[in-house]
Amino acid sequence: MQRVQLSDVEQRVYQAVTALEARGQVPYPDLIGEEAGLSAEELNAPLHLLTEKGLLHREDSPMAGLDFGPRFCARQMA
C-alpha cells in the first residue's frame, strides 16, 4: 500500500482529529483548530486536503434542527 505524504500542518490536523476521537469528543472544526493550535482560516486548507486524500471524511449534523456544523472523522491509516 502506498504511504500518503502529509505536510506538517496536515499531520497536526490529522493527529488532532484522532486525539479528539480517542477522548470521545466530537471533532468539530473549532475543537480541531484548538487541539492543533490553528486558527479557523489556517484549518480550512488542511481539512480539505486530508478529505481529498481520504484520511478524513466530513459528516454533517445528524440531528434535524440541531446543526453544530460539520464534523471531520478520521479514517484509519493502513
Side-chain angles (χ1 to χ4, degrees), residues 8-59:
D8 290 339
V9 173
E10 290 171 330
Q11 184 68 35
R12 283 174 43 203
V13 170
Y14 184 80
Q15 288 174 344
V17 170
T18 57
L20 289 167
E21 290 178 333
R23 292 195 302 263
Q25 294 177 280
V26 180
Y28 291 117
D30 57 338
L31 289 176
I32 298 168
E34 186 178 311
E35 183 79 18
L38 299 171
S39 70
E41 294 80 29
E42 294 171 315
L43 191 61
N44 286 334
L47 283 176
H48 179 73
L49 291 170
L50 288 166
T51 301
E52 278 186 350
K53 292 178 180 181
L55 297 175
L56 296 181
H57 66 278
R58 177 187 166 132
E59 295 180 357

